[in-house]
Amino acid sequence: MELRRLGRSDLKIAPLMLGTNVFGWTADEKTSFSILDAFVDAGFNAVDTADVYSRWSPAGAGASETVIGNWLAQGGRRDRIVLATKVGMEMGEGMKGLSAAYIERAVEASLKRLKTDYIDLYQSHRDDSDTPLAETAEAYGRLIKAGKVRVVGSSNFTAERLKSAIDTAKEHGVPRYESEQPLYNLYDRAGFEGALQQLCIDERIGVIPFYGLASGFLTGKYRSEADLSKSPRGGGAKKYMTARGMRILTALDKVAGGHGATPAQVALAWVMAQPGLTAPIASATSVTQLQELMGAAQLSLSAEDLKVLDGASAPE
């Protein structure tokens, strides 16, 4: 398995990261355990979660971390995964943001749910303009010094704010963000391509984009309004049902047909092939679904394939 270095850190991850926002929600604990087992047994190692997953579901916030913690508690797996989680999204009354006091409180709660002594990649889930960047950076520095966190990263940051955060960390002599987790896929390109992508390339910041399959739309299973009822997550794919979205699905079908692959595999392979990208994040609700997604790591797209996909998905 090819491993890619995450930014300038010592972390090395496989080219596909497992998203676990479905754990405890549309994937129960038993199924989640099977997915994690299959993922690691296939040679992949990067697992991404967040303290807030899945606050929007009956399972509630902390559910995903709890499932992963219960899986780790079985033993023998902690040193085989690069475990990433996030802090900052609202968990309840007064429980959000990137202040030093809240980060110190939140990391202890995550460590307890995850049943581990350390987090490999601790990420700011979104920017917090109410907290000085220096306060956040120094809080992370203390966690790294204490051995509770190995590396820190950002998510949903603009190029301007990420550059300011990097400069602030350097100025204060504390570890910088080594990764950024943006929304990026064949459909959602405009927010990342340009200044943010160039910054990540110039500064050697790892990029681990979320929604690699655009809420499942790029799998090709949602092609009409009627298809949205196929999954509890189907509603999230509705916004992609535009003329451009349909052009993208047609291009995915064409390229997939030439490789004996699936649209989902091609969509993820396209992300993997982009400049500066480390690994896309994708989630699965079954081992069968996961096995399909993992196949993307063995798929090599040609220059012509990329031209077809780029042409169909070019931002309007």
Side-chain angles (χ1 to χ4, degrees):
M1 179 66 66
E2 171 203 8
L3 295 181
R4 300 176 174 184
R5 187 177 178 185
L6 188 68
R8 297 177 181 175
S9 76
D10 292 332
L11 301 181
K12 293 182 179 180
I13 66 174
L16 178 67
M17 200 165 191
L18 180 65
T20 64
N21 61 328
V22 297
F23 286 5
W25 175 29
T26 52
D28 61 23
E29 184 165 279
K30 181 180 179 181
T31 301
S32 299
F33 281 14
S34 297
I35 290 169
L36 285 163
D37 286 340
F39 188 71
V40 173
D41 289 345
F44 294 86
N45 66 339
V47 177
D48 180 72
T49 186
D51 56 6
V52 76
Y53 298 161
S54 299
R55 190 176 182 224
W56 55 84
S57 76
S64 176
E65 288 186 333
T66 298
V67 168
I68 294 170
N70 291 341
W71 177 75
L72 287 173
Q74 298 176 116
R77 299 291 182 132
R78 182 63 187 93
D79 61 349
R80 295 184 65 185
I81 66 168
V82 172
L83 180 58
T85 191
K86 311 180 202 73
V87 60
M89 291 287 196
E90 186 169 357
M91 293 281 284
E93 185 66 31
M95 300 168 65
K96 66 176 181 178
L98 299 174
S99 69
Y102 182 62
I103 287 174
E104 289 162 9
R105 173 185 172 192
V107 74
E108 295 300 335
S110 285
L111 288 168
K112 184 176 181 179
R113 285 189 292 266
L114 289 165
K115 294 182 173 63
T116 184
D117 295 329
Y118 67 97
I119 293 163
D120 294 298
L121 177 63
Y122 201 39
Q123 303 156 96
S124 295
H125 207 156
R126 66 179 173 198
D127 192 9
D128 176 10
S129 58
D130 294 328
T131 300
L133 291 169
E135 179 180 339
T136 300
E138 290 177 345
Y140 284 145
R142 289 191 291 273
L143 292 181
I144 291 173
K145 189 174 182 179
K148 295 179 180 180
V149 170
R150 292 178 64 192
V151 174
V152 291
S154 61
S155 178
N156 296 299
F157 273 51
T158 64
E160 180 181 14
R161 287 288 285 177
L162 181 54
K163 180 65 165 65
S164 293
I166 291 169
D167 291 343
T168 298
K170 183 177 181 180
E171 179 184 342
H172 288 260
V174 295
R176 67 168 201 168
Y177 289 137
E178 291 294 347
S179 64
E180 161 62 13
Q181 188 174 143
L183 167 63
Y184 188 56
N185 55 59
L186 257 175
Y187 192 106
D188 298 297
R189 294 176 59 176
F192 174 68
E193 293 180 353
L196 183 55
Q197 183 174 23
Q198 193 58 52
L199 173 66
C200 291
I201 292 171
D202 292 345
E203 293 286 348
R204 286 175 57 201
I205 297 168
V207 181
I208 46 176
F210 65 91
Y211 283 176
L213 293 173
S215 296
F217 176 74
L218 298 176
T219 65
K221 72 178 180 180
Y222 304 114
R223 295 175 188 261
S224 69
E225 293 275 343
D227 291 335
L228 298 176
S229 61
K230 290 181 177 179
S231 164
R233 304 178 71 201
K238 185 176 182 179
K239 64 183 177 184
Y240 296 109
M241 289 184 172
T242 63
R244 177 168 168 262
M246 293 304 121
R247 288 197 301 272
I248 292 172
L249 290 187
T250 298
L252 284 171
D253 289 339
K254 178 180 179 181
V255 174
H259 288 273
T262 67
Q265 291 171 336
V266 173
L268 292 174
W270 178 87
V271 177
M272 293 173 188
Q274 300 310 300
L277 269 289
T278 309
I281 298 170
S283 59
T285 55
S286 69
V287 171
T288 299
Q289 203 176 74
L290 175 69
Q291 288 171 337
E292 176 190 355
L293 302 184
M294 292 190 299
Q298 278 72 51
L299 183 59
S300 180
L301 300 179
S302 68
E304 181 59 30
D305 292 332
L306 294 173
K307 182 179 179 181
V308 168
L309 295 168
D310 286 340
S313 65
E316 295 170 340

